[in-house]
Amino acid sequence: MPKYKNLNEFLTENKRLQCNVRGCSRKRIGQSQYCGRHRARSYVWGHPEAGSVKPHIYSDEIESAKTLIEHNRKHEGIIHGCKWLDKMMAAGGRGADIRGSMYWANLHHQQVSSKELLIRIGGLWLFDRRDELHRIIKNDKHLITLTGNAVIRFGKMHGIKYVPPKFYLQVGGQVQTGIGPLLVNISHSVKKLEKQQKQILSKMGQQLSINV
């Protein structure tokens, strides 16, 4: 037997309940388990406690990704990644029927460098990998949404006043499908190099001996 007789009864009861986010004392809204604020965050970013993550927050990771990508610019994966981004921007530029076409077109018209765009996205994915406790990037959906946001807003927003949130997820999903394995590889490679560097520094600090 259903708990509520009808939708109105459910809505009346639901708005009496506290938001499902820990520490939030606001009441729920509509059919959601969250208050208005956290429902909006969940809708836009894919998680009720998620939000925008500006490039300055992961500037160190961008630099690390840049160093790795520059050093491996002839690597087949890096070449493919840049070509894929160029292809998506060109497709948008010619008005191809793809999701987020106008945003890819905006980058194409500004002649955005695919390598620089790859560095930005690579830095974001590296930042996510370093944030193992998910203090900033809350889950995979948040990462994909942020990826779309990073791509769409990489260039100047000529004539674009508002971006419907669904396009962040759609464009981010395109990137994940197209070059996701490369972005994971970039993150893993930087972490591996950092581990090796720490081991070298550790060995430098080992006690020295003198044979008398």
Side-chain angles (χ1 to χ4, degrees), residues 8 45 90 93 95-96 212:
N8 286 334
W45 300 109
V212 179

Side-chain angles (χ1 to χ4, degrees), residues 94-144:
R94 64 174 181 270
D97 185 19
I98 59 173
R99 291 182 175 181
S101 179
M102 69 177 293
Y103 305 112
W104 289 110
N106 184 49
L107 299 178
H108 175 75
H109 296 325
Q110 295 179 61
Q111 298 182 333
V112 163
S113 164
S114 57
K115 186 181 71 173
E116 293 302 319
L117 182 55
L118 179 61
I119 289 171
R120 173 70 62 83
I121 305 168
L124 176 63
W125 280 53
L126 173 59
F127 179 77
D128 175 62
R129 179 162 177 78
R130 285 177 170 172
D131 184 25
E132 295 178 352
L133 298 178
H134 298 291
R135 291 166 295 186
I136 306 297
I137 300 181
K138 300 299 182 180
N139 56 20
D140 288 343
K141 188 175 182 181
H142 189 198
L143 173 63
I144 301 309

Side-chain angles (χ1 to χ4, degrees), residues 189-206:
S189 296
V190 171
K191 291 282 287 183
K192 184 177 180 180
L193 289 171
E194 288 175 342
K195 183 177 180 180
Q196 291 174 348
Q197 184 64 27
K198 286 181 180 180
Q199 290 174 342
I200 292 172
L201 293 174
S202 178
K203 289 179 180 178
M204 288 182 182
Q206 290 178 359

